[in-house]
Amino acid sequence: MKLILTNEVSGLGAPGDVVEVKDGYGRNYLIPRGYAMRWTRGAEKQIDTIRKARDAREIRDLGTAKEVAGQLGALKVRLATRAGDSGRLFGSVTTGDIADAVKAAGGPVLDRRRIEIVNPIKSVGSHRITVKLHPEVSASLDVEVVAD
């Protein structure tokens, strides 16, 4: 089955890529979740729109990615959120919350889809997250979650 990816799928491709996958994977997983759409000649015209949007969000070159990684390494990010007396959060910290906290701390504007949280952040304290800036560059960021 030939599909056009609309979101980044790990191990498969980036938005705007045309990929060939097994019928069941495309029909039962990628299309229903909105990660891809069927390839047609009409849909092929939308690839340019998807790629332009991706290019606007993406960091252009390796040098810029390394520069942004240096900025993130020197940044102190504090995120105030609601928590109980025992230090357990009401809910969890999302990638969108982290992107907003980085911007508020004076850091670069990050795409929330590039932020990777290995374990859900559900407690007060210092947590290490990874930001995938470029296919070759990842930055580590320490986020201190404090009770509001």
Side-chain angles (χ1 to χ4, degrees):
M1 173 181 271
K2 204 170 186 182
L3 298 173
I4 300 170
L5 295 178
T6 55
N7 288 329
E8 186 167 343
V9 178
S10 180
L12 194 58
D17 290 348
V18 178
V19 294
E20 187 77 30
V21 296
K22 301 249 180 177
D23 292 343
Y25 182 54
R27 188 174 49 246
N28 298 325
Y29 181 75
L30 294 174
I31 294 174
R33 286 180 170 75
Y35 295 148
M37 58 194 235
R38 291 187 186 274
W39 179 88
T40 60
R41 286 199 178 125
E44 177 117 16
K45 294 176 185 173
Q46 293 180 349
I47 291 175
D48 292 332
T49 307
I50 294 170
R51 284 189 180 151
K52 285 179 186 175
R54 179 179 73 181
D55 289 342
R57 285 191 310 265
E58 198 171 85
I59 295 175
R60 296 274 181 229
D61 60 355
L62 189 61
T64 308
K66 287 182 180 178
E67 181 181 317
V68 171
Q71 291 175 358
L72 288 176
L75 198 62
K76 302 285 185 202
V77 179
R78 277 184 77 142
L79 183 62
T81 186
R82 293 184 55 213
D85 293 335
S86 64
R88 188 160 169 82
L89 302 182
F90 297 130
S92 64
V93 176
T94 64
T95 56
D97 295 337
I98 294 170
D100 292 340
V102 168
K103 184 177 175 185
V109 177
L110 297 175
D111 185 10
R112 65 178 176 79
R113 291 175 286 245
R114 301 280 182 202
I115 298 172
E116 298 173 351
I117 301 175
V118 178
N119 296 324
I121 299 174
K122 295 187 175 193
S123 63
V124 173
S126 182
H127 300 276
R128 183 170 289 269
I129 60 161
T130 305
V131 180
K132 191 141 176 90
L133 299 169
H134 190 270
E136 300 173 15
V137 178
S138 293
S140 291
L141 177 67
D142 287 324
V143 177
E144 185 180 347
V145 179
V146 294
D148 191 18

